[in-house]
Amino acid sequence: MRAGIFSHRIAHCLLALLEKSLIGRVLTQAYFGRREKQGAICFVAATRLSEVEFWKKSLLGKRLKSWRNISGVKIRITFDNHQGLSKVYNEAIAEADVSDVLVFIHDDAWLLHEEALTDIWRALRRFDIVGIAGNTRRAPRQYAWYLRQLAEGGPVLDLPHLSGAVHYGEVFKTELHQFGPWPAECELLDGVLMAARVAVLRRTGLRFDERFDFHFYDLDFSRTARQYGLKIGTWPIHLLHASKGNLEDPRWRSNLERYTVKWGD
């Protein structure tokens, strides 16, 4: 076991012990509060749009444009991108300030409330990796976080093990799709938004596997995080996603082959 992973687990045990007493909870809250004042939330995304087009046309660009001058917010966008998301995200981890939080997010996403910034900090007091939707278990041949394979037949929603929610539609006319209760500890997270402290990623050595360029990077990241003993889970952070995914994309199938080779199930 890596030394960083071992020390992270020890820290989790100590925090769990502190949470059992009132004084311990007060000390824990003070500790997290001090850390959060020292850091910033950095939104990390990749887009095929140019810089001008991103700020004018993309959902994320339009949302972040109004947040650019907020204290404690940083923005890191890779424009005109043709690299895999895993590579873009790993570069952000390598170059970020260790006191910051990285929010890995798609460019067709819109955070509905400014309270999302506070929610992200709050969520990372409970989880090492946080998302908006996920699955509380992992089943064999589970090739999307929200589906399971029937013994005979195709995939179905993996109820009642799903957690979280995603809004679909338009900014001022959204439809909430509630997958299940949140917050909840999970085994798999949806990659539309995943947040983590840089310090945790650096200490444990957790990174995105660059063989997965767009599809399956989130499932792989989730499983690796759990393999390292990290806590991952969902939090009520309301987000509009313009895409519902495409399991027929040829890139999805090629990444599925890589995922199956790596994990076997």
Side-chain angles (χ1 to χ4, degrees):
M1 182 186 298
R2 296 178 184 176
I5 297 173
F6 179 74
S7 64
H8 186 74
R9 291 182 180 180
I10 293 297
H12 260 306
C13 292
L14 292 175
L15 286 173
L17 288 173
L18 286 171
E19 285 290 323
K20 292 182 178 180
S21 69
L22 176 60
I23 294 177
R25 288 194 292 273
V26 171
L27 291 174
T28 300
Q29 295 301 313
Y31 166 74
F32 279 119
R34 186 170 63 254
R35 288 183 64 186
E36 290 160 12
K37 288 180 180 178
Q38 296 171 346
I41 291 178
C42 178
F43 290 94
V44 180
T47 181
R48 292 190 174 185
L49 299 175
S50 68
E51 184 171 359
V52 172
E53 290 174 324
F54 173 79
W55 295 114
K56 285 185 177 181
K57 297 180 178 180
S58 73
L59 280 180
L60 183 63
K62 292 176 182 178
R63 164 45 87 193
L64 293 183
K65 186 185 294 184
S66 63
W67 290 3
R68 285 186 290 187
N69 296 320
I70 295 179
S71 176
V73 171
K74 297 178 181 179
I75 300 170
R76 180 188 173 110
I77 310 296
T78 301
F79 305 105
D80 300 302
N81 181 63
H82 294 284
Q83 304 178 97
L85 284 182
S86 293
K87 182 174 177 57
V88 172
Y89 290 170
N90 283 340
E91 288 174 353
I93 295 170
E95 298 172 12
D97 292 331
V98 71
S99 58
D100 288 350
V101 162
L102 296 180
V103 178
F104 306 105
I105 187 169
H106 290 187
D107 68 344
D108 60 348
W110 172 282
L111 288 160
L112 293 172
H113 309 299
E114 195 164 307
E115 289 78 8
L117 301 173
T118 302
D119 291 335
I120 290 167
W121 283 119
R122 186 177 293 120
L124 289 171
R125 294 184 177 193
R126 176 167 171 182
F127 300 112
D128 296 308
I129 314 291
V130 68
I132 63 166
N135 197 317
T136 60
R137 71 164 187 174
R138 187 186 62 77
R141 299 191 304 131
Q142 194 162 29
Y143 302 141
W145 64 267
Y146 57 94
L147 299 175
R148 63 181 173 88
Q149 293 288 136
L150 294 174
E152 296 181 2
V156 295
L157 287 175
D158 192 21
L159 300 173
H161 305 287
L162 302 183
S163 170
V166 180
H167 291 257
Y168 296 109
E170 301 175 1
V171 173
F172 298 108
K173 190 179 180 182
T174 69
E175 177 184 345
L176 179 65
H177 188 132
Q178 189 78 43
F179 292 99
W182 58 357
E185 190 165 350
C186 292
E187 293 295 322
L188 301 171
L189 292 177
D190 182 358
V192 64
L193 180 150
M194 294 191 294
R197 295 181 185 274
V198 175
V200 170
L201 299 174
R202 296 263 183 86
R203 185 187 311 129
T204 60
L206 178 62
R207 298 293 186 273
F208 292 88
D209 188 332
E210 295 183 14
R211 80 185 79 180
F212 305 110
D213 52 9
F214 188 78
H215 304 284
F216 290 93
Y217 72 92
D218 48 358
L219 270 65
D220 178 79
F221 189 72
S222 298
R223 292 183 69 169
T224 305
R226 294 295 298 129
Q227 195 175 64
Y228 287 4
L230 274 61
K231 288 182 65 176
I232 70 176
T234 56
W235 201 263
I237 301 169
H238 289 273
L239 177 145
L240 167 66
H241 192 200
S243 169
K244 292 188 177 182
N246 180 12
L247 301 186
E248 298 303 318
D249 184 342
R251 293 182 301 171
W252 184 88
R253 296 191 177 280
S254 62
N255 278 275
L256 169 60
E257 292 178 9
R258 299 183 192 118
Y259 181 78
T260 304
V261 168
K262 178 175 180 178
W263 292 102
D265 61 350

